[in-house]
Amino acid sequence: MKTKKTLIPIITLCAALSLTACSGSGSATTESSQKNQTEATTEAADNSNTKLDDLYQQENQIFADHADVWNKVFGMMNKSSADPSGDYADYLAGAVESNKESFTDDELKTLNDDIETIRQIEKQISEIENNNTGSESADQNDSSEEITPFKSFSGKDFDGNSVDESLFSNNAVTVVNFWFTGCKPCVAELSKLNELNDAIKSMGGEVVGINTETFDGNEDAIKEAAAILDSQGAKYRNISIDSDSNIGKYASDIMAFPTTILVDRNGNIVGDPMLGGIDDQNNYDTLMKQIQSVIDADK
């Protein structure tokens, strides 16, 4: 099941800094103008984030209202021919269409009605995010180079220990699994991920979990996630990250859970993300082959 979190950073404008070179009687007026501009910018950003929060909650409530049938859909996504890189409503529609024989007529009507509602919500989300992106672009350096989401990586494991980029540089391959607590397919594969972690340790690999509900050090969410990991016998590291970090923004674009990616020693993502749980033996075998390829390349 998809959960969405507000990952739009608060926008701050620095254009007023060019005025600080002036001094004398005009300084008080300049400072007042800067203060008013900053307050207006912060208020606009807060309003934008509030609207996004509300839209995300509306979308998640749709899934909650019809949880039984949507959980069926999310459990089938790894078998779907739908493209997860496109429009979210189209992605959901593609997943339903690819597996429509698995649903009753009433279930299909519920899913299709929900998808049309989600499509309208996504349009509103896109408009807000596009406006925010346009505002942020003035503060960004132009660059044609693709930046790995793991650049300047930092976080804390569930025991409170700090984690940085050395997590990746110390491993030939790092298997990063994105999940969240209410996702049944995510929980179902935790014990298998722990088995995978044990299997690749001697090969120079490690499994790391990122629970999207534990962003920004959410203590309640961390406690709940840790309890589930313990109940499934999963002892590999899970990390809480900041929502406005590069990897936090990357995670916000994930459309289906669980999603698993491979990261090399340099922090680069290798290959395509794997959608669906590795408790499916075919998925597990495929992932192991990919892991071996990254390890061989590292040698």
Side-chain angles (χ1 to χ4, degrees), residues 108-118:
L108 284 173
K109 183 179 187 308
T110 296
L111 291 170
N112 288 326
D113 288 347
D114 285 352
I115 288 170
E116 288 310 307
T117 303
I118 289 169

Side-chain angles (χ1 to χ4, degrees), residues 87-157:
D87 178 86
Y88 188 45
D90 287 343
Y91 174 58
L92 294 174
V96 170
E97 178 65 23
S98 297
N99 300 281
K100 62 182 180 181
E101 69 280 356
S102 301
F103 305 103
T104 66
D105 290 343
D106 287 344
E107 287 176 331
L108 284 173
K109 183 179 187 308
T110 296
L111 291 170
N112 288 326
D113 288 347
D114 285 352
I115 288 170
E116 288 310 307
T117 303
I118 289 169
R119 190 182 304 281
Q120 297 307 313
I121 293 173
E122 285 292 317
K123 287 180 180 179
Q124 297 178 65
I125 290 173
S126 294
E127 289 176 2
I128 296 173
E129 290 181 339
N130 287 338
N131 289 337
N132 286 341
T133 300
S135 299
E136 291 170 0
S137 62
D139 294 328
Q140 296 176 345
N141 293 326
D142 292 334
S143 175
S144 60
E145 297 182 4
E146 183 178 355
I147 300 176
T148 171
F150 295 100
K151 182 178 178 60
S152 304
F153 180 86
S154 65
K156 288 188 176 181
D157 65 26

Side-chain angles (χ1 to χ4, degrees), residues 2 22 63 75 85 90 105 126 155 169 176 188 190 192 234 251 261 287:
K2 179 190 180 192
C22 301
F63 296 133
S85 63
D90 287 343
D105 290 343
S126 294
S169 62
V176 183
L190 294 178
K192 196 68 174 180
I261 63 174
L287 187 61

